[in-house]
Amino acid sequence: MTRLIKYEFYKLFCKRSILVVLILFSVVNLFKINSEFHSYSYLADGNDSRSWNSVYWQLYEDYRGEITAEKINHLLSIYQPLADATADMTASTAKDNPDMMTGNIYSDRNILEKYYVEPMEYFYHYRTYALQVAERAKENADVYKERGQTYEARKNSVIYHLYSGRGIKAFAYEEMYNYYLNYDFSGILVLLLCLYGVVSTFVCEKETQMDMLLLTNPGGGKKTTFAKITAVSLFVTSVAIWFSVVDYIGFVYFFGTAEGGNLPLYAVSNFSTAAVNCNLWQYAILSAVIRAVGVWTMSMVFLLISLFGRNALVPFVADFGAALCFIITGASQSCFSNAWLKIINPYSLLANRILFGKTEFIGFAGYPVQSFQAAIIFAITVGVVSITAMMMLSKRNSYCRERRIKCLDLCTK
């Protein structure tokens, strides 16, 4: 069986066209990441001594690490005079002021406000916010328990344990992770590449009627089907992990640093109500695994659809339509509050910030289940059901059936 799986993997995916598309999509992805950096980061203005990039990293050594009252007061002693001087917008707009770090008073105020004052204020006050949420959840749990509302009591108990103890004790650069966590473009590339690789898995043999010939071989029939499913699973998982690695390395390279990886996930403001407690680098690994699960599920659905086609065109159109539906509905899910819409769409696992960026629950047998947990369970279930359907629909090996008939004939003689 191992040799059969290896054979199917090399036959289906170790093709020049697959490798060319993989390399092409990887290059396109890196160009897109570079575009994200230059389009959205204010630190992409070069390495001139008065550029925001240079000024930021000069100041960074003074404020990185544990947040203390001394650091906050020192920062405010620099920022507040600039804010007061520019409050009425009548300050000089000169860009070569020797007393200013960037050469312009408004620019000095803006870089301090965006990259130091606002992030440090968010970090400093987050502990208070999390404590308030935890205390409110604990009070609610007690009230619901007295009323006999078991589900609500359990849900608020989970929220209490999730938020209690949360806090951001250190200041660090988090812009790179902010854009990294909100980057979904590579998910579309992964889906398209897997679609291209998967669609011909069964069809290529049906077009030449090789599938009928394989039924007379000891390794044909359901064994071949299982080998193809395993080979596809290995392929799509490898592709998903590859692009996750490319994403991370690309962001680190173009942003010039991996600083901030030890910050908690909720240090990124978009994840202030994050559904898990982990560091940013830990979430990067978690995200890669969850993305692989989502790609695997959709690929199993694509594979099931392709099983019914006699040529490549019909399954490709059907699979592409399904992929388009997944992507469009997945992209619009951030606008809706219905957790079920996120759970039943496996694309949510590719753009998993939709699931992990917010703490939300669904009820199951009286117990609260977080939406990301339900989405993972649902996706795995869909994948297993698809595999079961393919195994049931695949034809039985006629070679084995003939041998069984001969054995029965011999026994009866």
Side-chain angles (χ1 to χ4, degrees), residues 44 89-90 159 247 265 337:
M89 305 299 290
T90 59
I159 295 174
D247 283 353
L265 178 60
S337 58

Side-chain angles (χ1 to χ4, degrees), residues 135-148:
E135 289 178 347
R136 194 180 305 118
K138 187 176 182 180
E139 293 172 0
N140 291 341
D142 293 337
V143 171
Y144 285 124
K145 189 174 182 180
E146 291 177 0
R147 293 178 181 177

Side-chain angles (χ1 to χ4, degrees), residues 213-255:
L213 183 60
L214 285 172
L215 292 176
T216 64
N217 187 283
K222 294 186 182 296
K223 286 185 178 181
T224 300
T225 301
F226 181 77
K228 288 180 181 293
I229 293 171
T230 305
V232 168
S233 299
L234 292 172
F235 171 70
V236 299
T237 302
S238 300
V239 169
I241 293 175
W242 166 256
F243 275 92
S244 294
V245 172
V246 170
D247 283 353
Y248 189 79
I249 293 176
F251 272 92
V252 170
Y253 176 79
F254 290 115
F255 279 79

Side-chain angles (χ1 to χ4, degrees), residues 79-90 105 109:
Y79 169 75
Q80 199 58 53
L82 296 174
D84 294 339
T86 57
D88 57 3
M89 305 299 290
T90 59
I105 188 171
R109 181 203 65 185

Side-chain angles (χ1 to χ4, degrees), residues 296-297 300 378-391:
W296 173 80
T297 298
M300 292 302 103
F378 182 81
I380 293 175
T381 302
V382 170
V384 171
V385 169
S386 298
I387 292 173
T388 304
M390 284 185 280
M391 294 300 296

Side-chain angles (χ1 to χ4, degrees), residues 135-378:
E135 289 178 347
R136 194 180 305 118
K138 187 176 182 180
E139 293 172 0
N140 291 341
D142 293 337
V143 171
Y144 285 124
K145 189 174 182 180
E146 291 177 0
R147 293 178 181 177
Q149 295 177 270
T150 307
Y151 170 75
E152 291 295 334
R154 288 170 175 167
K155 185 178 78 173
N156 279 275
S157 178
V158 172
I159 295 174
Y160 168 75
H161 288 97
L162 186 63
Y163 280 80
S164 60
R166 279 191 176 185
I168 309 171
K169 299 178 181 180
F171 177 83
Y173 172 78
E174 48 80 36
E175 184 186 50
M176 186 278 286
Y177 280 97
N178 181 30
Y179 291 116
Y180 169 74
L181 297 180
N182 289 280
Y183 184 72
D184 298 332
F185 179 73
S186 62
I188 298 175
L189 297 179
V190 170
L191 201 54
L192 293 177
L193 178 55
C194 291
L195 173 61
Y196 175 68
V198 165
V199 72
S200 62
T201 301
F202 291 112
V203 173
C204 62
E205 290 167 353
K206 289 182 179 180
E207 289 179 333
T208 59
Q209 296 186 343
M210 183 63 72
D211 59 321
M212 302 303 295
L213 183 60
L214 285 172
L215 292 176
T216 64
N217 187 283
K222 294 186 182 296
K223 286 185 178 181
T224 300
T225 301
F226 181 77
K228 288 180 181 293
I229 293 171
T230 305
V232 168
S233 299
L234 292 172
F235 171 70
V236 299
T237 302
S238 300
V239 169
I241 293 175
W242 166 256
F243 275 92
S244 294
V245 172
V246 170
D247 283 353
Y248 189 79
I249 293 176
F251 272 92
V252 170
Y253 176 79
F254 290 115
F255 279 79
T257 181
E259 188 76 19
N262 288 322
L263 286 174
L265 178 60
Y266 44 80
V268 177
S269 58
N270 289 347
F271 286 77
S272 61
T273 57
V276 291
N277 290 329
C278 63
N279 295 339
L280 288 170
W281 69 266
Q282 293 171 333
Y283 179 76
I285 298 174
L286 175 63
S287 176
V289 174
I290 298 302
R291 172 186 277 198
V293 172
V295 172
W296 173 80
T297 298
M298 285 185 278
S299 296
M300 292 302 103
V301 174
F302 296 156
L303 200 57
L304 177 60
I305 295 173
S306 71
L307 185 65
F308 297 97
R310 298 298 305 180
N311 58 68
L313 180 60
V314 175
F316 179 79
V317 172
D319 287 345
F320 184 78
L324 205 59
C325 289
F326 285 141
I327 293 171
I328 293 174
T329 55
S332 62
Q333 284 166 3
S334 57
C335 304
F336 301 102
S337 58
N338 192 327
W340 279 106
L341 293 176
K342 305 174 186 178
I343 292 169
I344 63 175
N345 188 349
Y347 183 78
S348 298
L349 299 179
L350 271 76
N352 48 61
R353 58 186 173 81
I354 299 171
L355 295 170
F356 288 99
K358 185 179 180 180
T359 304
E360 51 189 359
F361 301 87
I362 62 164
F364 181 77
Y367 288 89
V369 179
Q370 286 191 267
S371 59
F372 77 89
Q373 295 171 332
I376 294 170
I377 294 171
F378 182 81

